[in-house]
Amino acid sequence: MKRYTIDPITRLEGHGKIEIFCNDAGDVDNVYFQVPELRGFEKFCEGRPVEELSQIVTKICGVCPGCHHMASGKAADAVFGVEPPPTAKKLRELFYMAHFVHSHIAHFYALAAPDFVVGPTAPAAERNVLGVIGKVGAEIGTEVLKQRRIAQEIQALLGGHQTHVVMNIPGGVRKGLKEEERKDIEEKARGFVEFAKFSLKIFDDVVLKNKEYVDIILNGPYALDIYSMGLVDENNKVNFYDGKVRVVDQEGKEHCKYAPEEYRDFVAERVEPWSYLKFPYLKKIGWKGFVEGKDSGVYHATPLSRLNVAEGMATPLAQEHYEKMYDTLGGKPVHATLAMHWARLVELLYSAERCLELATDPEITGTELRAKLDKTPKEGVGIVEAQRGTLTHHYWTDEKGLVTKANIIVGTTNNNAPICMSLKKAAQGVIKQGVTVDDGILNMVEMAFRAYDPCFSCATHSLPGKMPMLVNFRDLDGNVLRTLRRDP
Amino acid sequence: MEEPRVGIYVCWCGTNIAKMVDVEAVSEEIGKIPNVVVARNYKYMCSDPGQDLIINDIKENNLNRVVVAACSPRMHELTFRKALENAGLNPYLFEMANIREQVAWVHADKEVATVKAKALISAAINRVLYHEPLDTRAVDVNPATLVIGGGMAGLSAALEIADSGKKVFLVERTERLGGNLVHVDQTFPYLHSGQGILSPQVRRAVNHDNIGLFLETEIDDIFGYVGNFEARLKDKKGKEIELKMGNIIVATGLKTFDPSVIPEYNYGKLPNVITSVEFEQMLKAGNIMTREGKEPKNIALIHCVGSRHEDYHEYCSRTCCVTALKYANQIRSAIPGANIFDLYTDMRAFGKGCEEFYAQTSRSKNTLFLMFAKGDLPKVSKAPVGEDIDMLITMNEMLSGDEIEVPADLVILMVGVEAREDAKDVAHHVGVSMCGNEFFIEKHPKLDPVATTTDGVYVVGSCVGPKDIPDTVSQAKAAAARVLATIAKGAVVVELTTAVVNEDICCGCQTCIKVCPYTAVSFDEEKGVSTVNEILCKGCGTCGSACPTGAIRSRHFTDQQILSQIEGLMAMEV
Amino acid sequence: MSFEPTIVSFLCNWCSYTGADLAGTSRIKYAPNIRIIRVMCSGRVEPTFVLKAFSEGADGVLICGCHPGDCHYHEGNYKCLRRYHLIQKYIHQMGIEKERVHLAWISASEGKQFAELVDEMTERVRELGPSQIKQVMETFA
Amino acid sequence: MANEKDKPKLKLAVYWGAACGGCCVSVLDVHEKLFDVVAAAELVFWPIALDVKYKDVEAMPDGHIDVTLFNGAVRNSENEHMAKLLRQKTKVLVAYGSCAHMGGIPGLANFSTKEEIFKRVYDESESTVNPEMIKPQPHYTVPEGELEIPEFYNDVRTLGQVVNVDYYLPGCPPQTERLVEVFMAIVTGAELPPPGSVVGALDKTQCDECKRKKSDNKVIKRFYRPWEIEDDGETCFLEQGVICMGPATRGGCGVRCIEGNAPCRGCYGPPPDSPDPGAKMMSAIATMIDANEEEDIAKAVGHIDDPAGTFYRFSLPSSIFRRKVT
């Protein structure tokens, strides 16, 4: 038996590792995606004052700290049984939209674009953001970095700290928005909308006008027949900050729609001895292993799944592109993994538009920033949609508001099983008897993985974006027969 | 910092330390510790030859750190610091390990005691490694002196200083000078008249050009430091007076014990049970008689009233015994026929001429000395009707071993003395400590009996403990001499074991400002940092411990020194 | 052989250290487990010293200052009392028994009381057993 | 160093242990300056970005890498292995960010044991269904072969507790400007402080830069949690009774949290020569209590919730006690 160890030092709570086992015939037997690190936030959040958590949990991930900050902030509100005043909620969402813009821009240009703009089989050396720039022009590269910076400046302005935000306090936010600051954000938001539109145009020109790519998306070994999860508002439109979690099945039929505090009735996590990261699944369906189909509780929570569960986008331009995407890809739901890139761009546009809406909302400069806390703290759940999946924080406290228990389901964790399965499928699709495994082949496998934008890969935002890749051909005893890797 | 070269000296203190600590073994083992150049042990380190050992080693082995393991630093730290100075080494490059009071005298197992001694010494070594040379600073001495209390002690001190041409402010809370002596008719053992002794002194004090007299005046507050004190006085009308002085002599005296708390004596219930103070009034008035106006036939004197008794005061009031003898003599000359019963526990007639006075008194007729056991108090009760005497005293007489009844028309309680309840306030104003029975504590009971732990503040007379007139006066004059000496020098040296701010670290949070009880820390708006006034700072170190940045260092008690000392303590664990 | 605790003690110079000296001059015997460090005022004692003592292997820490109202520096002992309460709360949170740190007031005249205090403290700590901190230090990896 | 022109590119490595990625993001936050950095330095190892494997690092000659920015604490066997390897291969090893510097937020795990953490995460977690009580195993055999993951340690350690560190660059994450300053100093061969120093942070603490109004009124009757007061947005937090780590935390971050109306949390660590990262502040806070009566003091202290988590929020592993005694 051969073993391929794809050892991308990747990031979630630590470094990811992919093990591909092939049978003697040279066909892929099985694939394991391992997350080899744990930090145990659920444990050491115990004993901390609950208002502290929204600052502590940002350290779960420095790439999407804003998501944890928001989920935690909402959980803390719930613990005190309060709703923040409208201004506070809108300021949080404004921050959050900037967070999405910054993240989605980076992912598309640094990770997704190289595969399409430069081409999946192009020389590795070119298949990175610099390659993209080579294709579409240097000023765009600069523009990418600039937009990302601007998005981060907005986060710093509202959140105090550009990375590990200190915005939330139980019942609201610590800081209001001045008119001149609002004006500035409004300007920047207009820039976002333009840039999002431009990005969709690039996707249109480079990907959609290229039959080969569309073919890869639709017919490549990149489709999973699993459930979709995402957060929707009262009109079942996509929402990242607030609403209910909706799950649809393979045909797009609603499986369930639950409020944050009900999450335990619908989601459960499984432990495997070979990974520190747990595997969530739909509780009512149950765990049947790493398999597809209606009877398997496996689901994904990604840009694509979010669009799948929704009945549309809440902003006009995003809605247009939403419809266009499903028309092009043959109606809802879409299961083609690589369609996530498109979906992500639709979300980028939505975030930009929503950012502008909020920046021009008269209430945004209001001065009522905090609700009065008069109830005894007890228990609360906060859910937001993180870039990388539905994020759930659940806290219990004593009467002083000191945390006695915490339970957290991180965005990427939702996709732990799907990632394993996509990788297996991709590997089975491309690594076959007689196929010499080369750089391009490995990248084909990697594309499946990257599509999820798992939190670990997003740390590479705006750098030459290429998953490090190493393949060891081993004999049964695991001795390396031949090593294959890409040169940077 | 230059390579530390430490000298260790383990003192036997005769047998005091040597019999409980294996000094040989200790010095040998300690000698192996890095940086230790010499390790010796010697019979008496504080003796001249002992100090010479250190001085020579410093010169010959060019030591730059010295540790002496001996008695408490409160005893001899200064002695050895001087030795370092004489050898040309900064006195602060020295540390003491207290292996007498903290080891030899309090532990019973030599092996354990020796281990502990080693630990304390290794801690001292660890500490001294981080000692730094410290400067001292000379400050001018204000030639004026504040004397608190206008009794015999205060008067004597004030006059001594004033006579030498220096200004004195004499503060007395009552409306007249003289203190307790005012009540005394005659003094023992030579039966001089109290007035005869007192009035000339009072007269001189009142008219003395160098004495500013403040009657019916109390201390409101005192601040400053040796050479430069400032006092705020308040007189009866509430008027405030501000004064500046360089030294302070505390002579606040004592008060007599109130015997009504002793059930056995029925004082306050039986009209003819009186205190020695009240009896003095009779003697002064010249007529000894009962409340009923009759001349008493049987007169009893009871000793140790409120003294030498665990329920009241454990200490001896020192003057009552001889005073009682004095009464016996005075009564006999006033009422030759009277029977005098002297009920005592131990007759304490020490002091010049007192024992002779006792002998002479006991030889005289119709004075009967009866002894009761300490704590086994006689009981005074009304005599049954019909008897022609007023009261009966029942007691276990020790010499005969019989329980006897003593007849009495007049019972004189020889009341003891105690500290004034307001002594605490004074102690606080001048910063002196008090011992358990509220008398002030001297800097050293033997070597420095009139000074206190606060430089420039002296305590004299009965506020330190019960005293007779000669002791009081000599203390007062001793203190006066000390004060005059500093005035003559014109300057005193103040230690700079003060707090100091590292301005490169201080962030200006101002946590330290309100922490200081002496307003020695202030905020420099310009620099945005705190600064310490080295003269006002008394070196308690509280600000250093309150500083969140570590910018404030408590000189000679730095973090580094103390933390290193802790390591040393543990290094020697077995 | 029964466990012999080591107790590091911080005594203020004016009251407590003098009181300890008095215990000595009065030849009052007490447990040899105590190791004394002199500070000018209990107000100089800060958490760092206590934590350091434990990390070096002390099983208990005894802090003594002047009685309330009698501080040679007016209020240093109150500052110490405030820190003492927070130190206890902290070490408790770190899994160390509160009782391993003790604050007591000893005046210059309370030699007897000091000796008794040392014996009590020694017994209290003996009952608690050895402090685990030093072992944690050694196995920390 | 050699003069500007013929100077070879600086060989730079970036690696994380137990970290969140924020440190890496802070490196990326040079934004448009990124190209200048790439011009001045050759990234020889940055797992999240480059295809350079452990093996390749092992193959490098000792001291091959000029500067390594190691972020993250040491939490498992892999972290430790890489820390030692990179120490060997690096001339200047920089503990980058709070986790490598003091243990950081992951260091709070030293309140618990490995067993307690596993129990909570894999057994007790309310959303977890694990009747067989399965726990991740460093070595596990699946039908197809053996799978390995690093061993999870009981203690979280700082980088300095595992290997010899040349410089500490504090912050959670370090302010990018500070990184660029230090980076440029190294590139231009400017005078570097003695090894073991903290770089990229000020000796003075936050208050020195803090714009809030402060006075000597540091006396606190009652401590408040941030949500218990109406922060006026301009008075020193401590003077409002809210514990702020500012006075005991190095400046250099631009008082960013306080600018966001949150009290300083202490990520930049204590000023120079601090024997313990939290004890000084603990002492200061206790001293501020405005009470002398024992019961009043106890009451005031009662309102200081979670002292260990407050004074050692980012520094538990580097504290005198290192971890909770269990």
Side-chain angles (χ1 to χ4, degrees), chain C residues 5-141:
Chain C
T6 307
I7 293 157
V8 170
S9 182
F10 300 92
L11 305 189
C12 82
N13 180 64
W14 305 107
C15 292
S16 312
Y17 196 93
T18 316
D21 278 354
L22 180 60
T25 44
S26 321
R27 311 296 199 277
I28 305 170
K29 302 281 177 275
Y30 58 77
N33 307 61
I34 188 167
R35 309 263 187 279
I36 293 170
I37 286 176
R38 179 171 67 140
V39 288
M40 294 311 280
C41 177
S42 55
R44 174 69 184 98
V45 178
E46 55 178 275
T48 313
F49 303 165
V50 178
L51 308 190
K52 177 71 172 178
F54 279 118
S55 70
E56 290 297 317
D59 302 294
V61 173
L62 175 63
I63 307 165
C64 298
C66 312
H67 285 269
D70 289 355
C71 176
H72 184 76
Y73 302 102
H74 304 296
E75 290 204 323
N77 51 357
Y78 292 124
K79 312 286 194 309
C80 183
L81 180 62
R82 300 171 194 172
R83 293 174 196 145
Y84 166 66
H85 277 266
L86 188 50
I87 290 169
Q88 277 204 325
K89 187 167 185 175
Y90 169 66
I91 65 164
H92 176 72
Q93 213 181 345
M94 297 307 288
I96 302 167
E97 302 86 343
K98 272 190 167 80
E99 299 71 23
R100 290 191 188 270
V101 183
H102 186 64
L103 173 65
W105 309 130
I106 292 292
S107 82
S109 63
E110 294 177 325
K112 189 158 160 292
Q113 288 83 340
F114 177 75
E116 289 163 0
L117 175 67
V118 173
D119 289 341
E120 287 161 17
M121 180 75 182
T122 308
E123 273 324 298
R124 193 180 302 133
V125 177
R126 198 193 302 279
E127 276 159 35
L128 289 171
S131 154
Q132 299 307 311
I133 277 289
K134 199 169 191 183
Q135 188 210 339
V136 166
M137 303 268 140
E138 284 155 4
T139 59
F140 185 74

Side-chain angles (χ1 to χ4, degrees), chain B residues 7 37-38 43 46 51 107-108 134 164 228 248 272 289 302 306 309 348 367-368 417 419 431 473 500 543-544:
Chain B
V37 180
V38 282
K43 245 180 169 351
C46 57
Q51 295 188 46
H107 302 326
L134 292 183
S164 344
N228 301 272
I248 299 171
N272 287 315
M289 56 179 54
I302 302 180
H309 190 297
R348 301 198 162 184
T367 302
L368 193 57
V417 289
V473 172
V500 54
C543 59

Side-chain angles (χ1 to χ4, degrees), chain A residues 1 3 7-12 14-15 17 19 21 29-30 32 34-44 46-52 55-56 58-63 80 130 133 141-142 145-146 148-149 152 159-164 166 169-170 174-175 263-264 267-278 281 283 370 373 394 396 400-402 405-407 409 456 459-470 472 485-488, chain D residues 15-22 24-26 28-29 31-32 34-35 38 43 45-56 75-76 78-79 105-113 116-118 120-122 124-130 132 134-138 140 142-152 172-176 225-231 256-263 265 267 302-306 308-310 313-314:
Chain A
M1 184 194 297
R3 164 191 284 208
D7 183 13
I9 324 300
T10 51
R11 159 128 249 98
L12 173 63
H15 317 154
K17 180 148 150 276
E19 292 278 357
F21 290 94
D29 235 10
N30 206 350
Y32 293 89
Q34 297 175 273
V35 174
E37 190 169 304
L38 165 78
R39 278 172 295 151
F41 277 79
E42 293 92 331
K43 185 63 189 176
F44 63 71
E46 291 174 7
R48 314 281 83 79
V50 68
E51 71 274 14
E52 259 300 312
Q55 276 94 265
I56 287 177
T58 60
K59 273 72 170 181
I60 289 173
C61 175
V63 177
F80 283 95
L130 302 174
I133 292 164
T142 320
L145 297 176
K146 182 173 152 226
R148 179 175 171 278
R149 188 193 77 236
Q152 228 173 14
H161 189 301
Q162 80 284 9
T163 307
H164 290 307
V166 295
I169 186 167
R174 299 177 193 261
K175 203 176 167 193
Y263 80 102
R264 278 180 291 170
V267 178
E269 297 176 281
R270 170 179 179 78
V271 182
E272 289 289 345
W274 43 266
S275 179
Y276 284 111
L277 190 64
K278 293 184 277 188
Y281 58 92
K283 199 172 186 178
R370 283 166 51 186
L373 305 183
H394 185 184
W396 293 256
K400 289 178 88 181
L402 298 180
K405 279 192 299 180
N407 192 44
I409 303 177
F456 27 74
T460 64
H461 282 176
S462 80
L463 264 181
K466 175 163 51 63
M467 295 301 289
M469 189 83 71
L470 175 82
N472 292 330
R485 51 164 284 196
R486 291 174 311 198
D487 300 320
Chain D
Y15 187 78
W16 61 70
C20 68
C24 291
V25 170
S26 77
L28 302 174
D29 284 348
H31 300 300
E32 291 91 328
L34 179 70
F35 296 118
V38 175
L43 277 158
F45 183 53
W46 191 354
I48 58 166
L50 299 176
D51 178 21
V52 179
K53 301 261 95 33
Y54 295 170
K55 279 190 192 50
D56 306 308
R75 173 18 103 216
N76 66 25
E78 184 180 57
N79 305 149
I105 292 294
L108 290 171
N110 282 0
F111 278 125
S112 325
T113 63
E116 289 166 338
I117 294 170
F118 275 30
R120 176 62 201 157
V121 175
Y122 299 116
E124 295 173 349
S125 152
E126 289 67 17
S127 52
T128 299
V129 179
N130 186 11
E132 312 94 323
I134 295 165
K135 303 282 183 309
Q137 307 296 329
Y140 185 75
V142 291
E144 301 83 2
E146 175 151 291
L147 294 174
E148 290 176 4
I149 45 177
E151 185 196 350
F152 184 94
C172 183
Q175 197 74 351
T176 306
R225 304 255 288 274
W227 48 267
E228 292 179 297
I229 62 153
E230 279 296 333
D231 169 32
R256 43 194 182 183
C257 291
I258 297 171
E259 290 293 299
N261 290 343
R265 312 171 34 71
C267 71
H303 281 110
I304 303 177
D305 297 314
D306 186 24
T310 302
R313 191 179 282 120
F314 290 87

